């Protein structure tokens, strides 16, 4: 019963979309109506408000870390070797991707996944973020950096923790991030994915 309650609470926390919430509070357009139509920090930036994008990034990252942290606080379990904290992290990401409060139309989960991984272990989060930063610097594609970072998150988890309970959960998180980026993967394969700083044709 405890695991079920924690999983449900983490899902509901993850279902709070900061892209939508911040946009409403700042009287900006709904991020689901412009750009990529993805309620995430990158798309909110297209509204022209860097403040709104930054607040969205902080909120989405924070809720992932908070879900894991609260599970650790409530159960006393390790975020790496325990059961409930990894489940809480995965459920927070699921809530972000398919939020019950927003007709199950959520974001792609990159910021929330980063918060979850950092809460699992700082080295896991920093290794994944480092991978993201390197790919972004070379290719200037947020989507490609997100996809590769998700794959490498599994590698970092295995390298650091082997078959601790957190490793298969990281793999599940990576698969969900990849699934949410399936359209981006097709555009990358066609050479049609936009790059940062590139002007629209």
């Amino acid at each position: 019963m405890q695991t079920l309650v924690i999983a449900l609470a983490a899902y509901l926390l993850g279902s709070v979309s900061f892209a939508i919430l911040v946009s409403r509070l700042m009287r900006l357009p709904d991020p689901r109506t412009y750009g990529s139509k993805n309620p995430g920090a990158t798309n909110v930036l297209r509204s022209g408000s860097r403040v709104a994008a930054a607040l969205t990034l902080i909120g989405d990252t924070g809720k992932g870390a908070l879900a894991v942290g609260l599970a650790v606080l409530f159960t006393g379990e390790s975020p790496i070797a325990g059961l409930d904290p990894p489940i809480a992290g995965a459920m927070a990401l699921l809530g972000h991707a398919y939020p019950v409060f927003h007709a199950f139309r959520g974001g792609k989960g990159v910021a929330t996944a980063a918060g979850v991984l950092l809460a699992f272990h700082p080295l896991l989060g920093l290794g994944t973020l480092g991978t993201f930063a390197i790919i972004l610097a070379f290719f200037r594609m947020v989507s490609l950096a997100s996809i590769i970072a998700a794959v490498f998150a599994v590698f970092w988890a295995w390298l650091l923790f082997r078959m601790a309970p957190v490793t298969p959960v990281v793999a599940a998180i990576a698969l969900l991030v990849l699934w949410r980026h399936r359209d981006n993967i097709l555009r990358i394969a066609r050479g049609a994915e936009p790059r940062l700083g590139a002007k629209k044709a």
Side-chain angles (χ1 to χ4, degrees), residues 14 17 38-42 56-57 60-65 89-90 92-99 105-117 128-129 132 142 146-147 149-150 172-181 184:
S17 173
N38 175 61
T42 301
T56 298
L57 180 63
D60 284 345
T61 303
K63 71 183 180 184
L93 180 60
L94 185 66
H96 178 81
Y98 301 101
R105 293 177 58 195
K108 294 179 180 177
V110 176
T112 302
V116 169
L117 296 179
T128 304
L129 288 172
F132 176 91
V142 174
S146 301
I147 292 162
I173 287 171
L175 286 173
L176 180 55
V177 171
L178 291 176
W179 172 252
R180 297 296 292 173
H181 282 83
N184 302 88

Side-chain angles (χ1 to χ4, degrees), residues 18 23 34 38 47 50 73 87 94 106 110 114 155 165 177:
F18 281 88
S23 295
Y34 63 85
N38 175 61
S47 72
R50 293 183 180 181
L73 185 64
I87 288 176
L94 185 66
V110 176
F155 167 76
V177 171

Side-chain angles (χ1 to χ4, degrees), residues 44-56:
V44 171
L45 186 60
R46 294 187 176 100
S47 72
S49 175
R50 293 183 180 181
V51 173
L55 290 174
T56 298

Side-chain angles (χ1 to χ4, degrees), residues 112-191:
T112 302
V116 169
L117 296 179
L118 284 166
F120 283 163
H121 196 282
L123 287 179
L124 173 59
L126 291 174
T128 304
L129 288 172
T131 304
F132 176 91
I134 290 170
I135 300 302
L136 183 62
F138 274 94
F139 296 97
R140 294 184 292 114
M141 279 191 277
V142 174
S143 56
L144 181 63
S146 301
I147 292 162
I148 294 178
V151 173
F152 266 81
V154 183
F155 167 76
W156 294 125
W158 171 256
L159 185 67
L160 291 166
F161 313 121
R162 293 293 190 259
M163 283 308 295
V166 76
T167 302
V169 173
V170 172
I173 287 171
L175 286 173
L176 180 55
V177 171
L178 291 176
W179 172 252
R180 297 296 292 173
H181 282 83
R182 59 193 183 279
D183 292 337
N184 302 88
I185 292 172
L186 293 174
R187 286 196 296 270
I188 290 169
R190 298 197 308 264

